Amino acid sequence: MVSFFICLFILIAGYFTYGKFVESTFGPDDRETPAIALNDGVDYVVMPLWKLFLVQLLNIAGLGPIFGALTGAEWGPVVFLWITFGTIFAGGVHDYFSGMLSERNRGASIAEVTGIYLGKTMKNVMRVFSVILLVMVGTVFAVGPAGLIVVLFKNNGVSGILTSAPFWLAIILIYYFIATFISIDKIIGRIYPVFGICLIIMAVGVIIGTFAGGYQVPEIWSHFRNMHPSGTPIWSFMFITVACGAISGFHSTQSPLMARCLKSEKQGRFVFYGAMVAEGIIALVWAAAGCAIYGSEGLVAAGGGNSTTVYAICAKTMGSVGIVLAMLGVVACPITSGDTAFRSARLTIADWFKIDQNKVKNRFFLCLPLLGIGAILGFGNTFGFIDYSIIWRYFSWTNQTLAMIVLWSASMYLFINKKNYWITVVPATFMSAVSITYFVMAPECLGLIPALKNNTLVAYPAGIIVAILFLGLFIAATKRRSKAEQNQ
């Protein structure tokens, strides 16, 4: 219990201290923001600060800080450390710079931003990378909530079409099409704040119920070991599993949405860094509940997968009175990331091919194929034609790789502007090691080769060597740029 409250305090303090340091390093000023200069009533719309924060929180949250944190709890309370320090020194920094660099570049999508600082080749790679990732995320955030709704109705004795996953998947995809198509302030700006409040209340209810129910959250110092039931290595599997709630590349695809709605650059710390800290707190709560209620068995103890586990925890901590509110929050959380994932995919393609989004026809012809692909993948998974869990495991790696690339982009921006680039270089190097280590030994990557599967003797050195190589390439690039400037 003490460990939980220490980590909670550090997270909150991190916003006011390190978050302020990051903000001062970037240096927001009073220049005209894209929301004012490019206001189009569709994607570039000025929104109040409190709405910006809640919308950003729901955009980035998804299933990650709940499912990811619960899965991370299988490793034991050591996951608290990754959530806490990952959020402050990596995730918050990543989200702040992905949002503010977009804001400084006319609200450009993250692929375009990356190209500005890392070159045309990386821009084209990121364009493809981002669209694929966003469609994957949008689809999973349709399939997941459909399953949660079915669990909710079945556990309350309901039968018939309301317990049909394909039915709810179709409803969610129809909503996604509407939310992706129309102005951001018509649905997203109006209902997200309500769901954001529900999400926060749900987290508060879960942690209060955990303590009130007599469950003991294990301490880090007495359980500082790998408690995973399958013995899966902490490094770097836990750092890939717990993405949202620590650091997630997906967030960089969402931040430009709010970068196009800021009234002032000085709102950035609260909107981007602050929402990441809030998500970290939510992840900490769910990780603590998972450790306290199921111990080292994690999700295995509940049976039935993530949806059943979430329902079980809500029932154990809040009973019948609070369970409806709790499940509403859990269902709303992924849905309100799924629609903005498809929206971000639309904007990424629009930026890529310079397609004017003021025109209704243009938005329609971009939304239709994107949601069509999502429907094929979603229904394919629902009816058993596609094993989307395999695709999702690949996403886990690509997600953190995207975060790594964004941090290297931010590092180059800071270098060009003669600012302290080490605040992004250090987490970029760290995430490079995480990504490469996982890639080498994970069963769905190079770990398909029997000799490399979970082979830490090969993967650990490989991760360290490549991370050092990336750092060396960055330093070499800065020296070349400095030399070129001197010769001008």
Side-chain angles (χ1 to χ4, degrees), residues 89-288:
F89 296 109
V93 176
H94 168 275
D95 286 17
Y96 181 79
F97 277 97
S98 62
M100 295 309 293
L101 291 183
S102 172
E103 190 276 337
R104 282 281 172 95
N105 290 281
R106 299 169 60 86
S109 60
I110 196 60
E112 307 304 307
V113 170
T114 301
I116 293 171
Y117 302 108
L118 295 184
K120 185 176 180 180
T121 299
M122 185 57 70
K123 176 170 66 176
N124 289 327
V125 170
M126 285 289 287
R127 282 168 169 171
V128 177
F129 201 78
S130 297
V131 172
I132 293 175
L133 181 144
L134 286 166
V135 171
M136 288 170 60
V137 170
T139 305
V140 171
F141 287 172
V143 173
L148 286 166
I149 294 172
V150 169
V151 169
L152 176 62
F153 280 118
K154 283 185 176 180
N155 286 338
N156 284 277
V158 178
S159 59
I161 194 171
L162 293 180
T163 59
S164 168
F167 169 77
W168 287 111
L169 179 60
I171 295 296
I172 292 170
L173 287 173
I174 291 172
Y175 161 74
Y176 280 1
F177 183 88
I178 297 171
T180 303
F181 179 79
I182 67 173
S183 173
I184 194 167
D185 61 339
K186 292 297 188 291
I187 292 181
I188 293 174
R190 291 180 179 179
I191 67 172
Y192 275 35
V194 176
F195 288 137
I197 293 170
C198 291
L199 180 62
I200 294 170
I201 293 175
M202 175 195 66
V204 172
V206 167
I207 197 59
I208 291 177
T210 297
F211 293 131
Y215 299 105
Q216 296 297 314
V217 179
E219 306 293 0
I220 296 173
W221 43 82
S222 59
H223 297 77
F224 195 73
R225 63 185 186 277
N226 185 354
M227 298 175 63
H228 198 283
S230 301
T232 304
I234 291 176
W235 179 270
S236 62
F237 284 91
M238 187 183 74
F239 297 84
I240 293 290
T241 301
V242 186
C244 294
I247 178 173
S248 169
F250 169 67
H251 296 186
S252 68
T253 67
Q254 301 300 288
S255 293
L257 295 180
M258 292 301 96
R260 301 181 185 211
C261 300
L262 294 178
K263 183 178 181 180
S264 167
E265 283 195 346
K266 295 176 182 178
Q267 296 176 325
R269 177 164 68 102
F270 182 63
V271 174
F272 301 120
Y273 198 99
M276 181 63 236
V277 170
E279 187 188 49
I281 292 173
I282 292 171
L284 185 67
V285 166
W286 282 96

Side-chain angles (χ1 to χ4, degrees), residues 440-441 446-459:
V440 171
M441 68 176 177
L446 286 184
L448 284 170
I449 302 172
L452 292 178
K453 182 178 179 180
N454 293 345
N455 190 329
T456 59
L457 292 177
V458 174

Side-chain angles (χ1 to χ4, degrees), residues 235-236 240 247 397 400-401 403-405 407-408 424-439 459 462-471:
W235 179 270
S236 62
I240 293 290
I247 178 173
W397 172 75
Q400 299 302 61
T401 301
M404 171 194 78
I405 295 171
L407 285 169
W408 283 122
T424 52
V425 166
V426 172
T429 305
F430 179 85
M431 291 309 298
S432 298
V434 168
S435 181
I436 298 303
T437 302
Y438 182 85
F439 182 76
I464 294 172
I465 291 170
V466 173
I468 294 173
L469 174 63
F470 285 175
L471 176 60

Side-chain angles (χ1 to χ4, degrees), residues 10-26 84-94 96-97 269 273 277 407 414 420-427:
I10 293 173
L11 275 170
I12 296 172
Y15 169 77
F16 292 102
T17 54
Y18 198 71
K20 181 66 176 177
F21 174 68
V22 170
E23 179 186 47
S24 63
T25 300
F26 178 82
T84 302
F85 295 106
T87 294
I88 294 171
F89 296 109
V93 176
H94 168 275
Y96 181 79
F97 277 97
R269 177 164 68 102
Y273 198 99
V277 170
L407 285 169
L414 290 172
N420 177 16
Y421 52 79
W422 289 105
I423 65 171
T424 52
V425 166
V426 172

